[in-house]
Amino acid sequence: MVRLEPRRQHSQAMVYLSPVLAILMTLVVGGIIFAFMGKNPFDALYTFFILPINNSYGISELFVKATPLVIIAVGLAMGFRANVWNIGAEGQLTMGAIFGGGLALYFHDSESVLLLPAMFVLGALGGAFWGAIPALLRTRFNANEILTSLMLTYVATLFLSFLVHGPWRNPEGFNFPESRPFPDAGLLPIIFEGSRVHLGTAVAVFVVIAGWLLLSKSVIGFQLRVVGKAPQAARHVGFRQKRMVWFTLLLGGALAGLAGLFEVSGPIGQLQPSISPGYGFTAIIVAFLGRLHPVGILFGGLIMALTYLGGELAQITLGLPNAVTGLFQGILLFFLLASDVLTKYRIRFGSIAAKGRTA
């Protein structure tokens, strides 16, 4: 019989080294998979992880891809620390894009400098509104937020599809399912000329700094850690778990909504049936890869953004399917979780009876 036995003490160094180990194991397994697919593993790994960032434009695209991942993951990490499992960030991202993008479409001929800030506010409110639904169901009816937030993702996606196929479809778009382009006043300014790096990237850095200050320097950050690690002690000292549920789901939803707005007012410039390749789900991996710490999430977001760039390039140069991106992300998550388990537990072999005789 194989069983897991808790370690009396686990290495703090391994807690932070386990993401590095998971990345290395992912590269090894990825190389083996490429070999089975008939590709030179070294050439394939080079194409996937080095070639996308071997010039300044590639590096700028890395920042563009990492922006929504980092913003969403910081919000999710707050909830995960308090054992609030928001799995529906993809839906919150979509609703943020709908709310903020809807304002740009309503004022499609506006040149006001106030349009973009108003879109920021509505985007965050849209995501927070979608996050408030699982918060209400959790605190009022004790419904599992994993299921409710995940199910709402598909509702938001279908709602966006309805809008761009129906009332918000571009009247001059030759019947394509997309909205009219946003006005210039509703587009994010470009930070670096000749690239697509936009204002949202600077906001992502600000979110990382703000998240670090919130966790390490504020009372609510202390409450999040206590509620997550010792819920009984938290109740004993008067920390209200329901308040943490509301706070983390609203915060996570608002940040996801803001990330969604940045996508449609940045790289895309309009509403389409699909505005995200799955950033809301990938951000979950980013949060754990960064050890639920905002600074770690910044680096984790860059790594996961590289898998998107590498996957796109591998399709073009190696003829690999798009699923390779998801495959690498899934393998990384597997090894990350396995490393965490083995950091806290040791594997024991033998029967329960033998254990009793030994005792």
Side-chain angles (χ1 to χ4, degrees), residues 145-174:
E145 73 275 11
I146 296 176
L147 297 177
T148 55
S149 61
L150 180 60
M151 296 294 184
L152 285 168
T153 294
Y154 302 102
V155 177
T157 302
L158 291 172
F159 183 50
L160 174 62
S161 179
F162 161 74
L163 291 173
V164 296
H165 281 87
W168 286 4
R169 183 164 53 187
N170 185 1
E172 303 173 356
F174 302 101

Side-chain angles (χ1 to χ4, degrees), residues 193-270:
E193 197 65 34
S195 73
R196 297 198 303 162
V197 180
H198 50 73
L199 181 62
T201 303
V203 175
V205 176
F206 172 78
V207 168
V208 168
I209 297 172
W212 173 73
L213 291 174
L214 178 68
L215 280 177
S216 61
K217 305 294 184 181
S218 71
V219 173
I220 196 165
F222 174 71
Q223 291 180 356
L224 287 173
R225 296 195 302 271
V226 174
V227 168
K229 293 181 178 179
Q232 291 184 349
R235 285 192 293 269
H236 181 73
V237 298
F239 294 166
R240 298 176 59 184
Q241 187 177 20
K242 289 184 177 182
R243 181 179 296 174
M244 292 296 102
V245 171
W246 275 103
F247 174 77
T248 54
L249 282 170
L250 289 178
L251 177 64
L255 289 178
L258 198 59
L261 173 67
F262 289 164
E263 282 300 290
V264 296
S265 63
I268 301 176
Q270 61 183 167

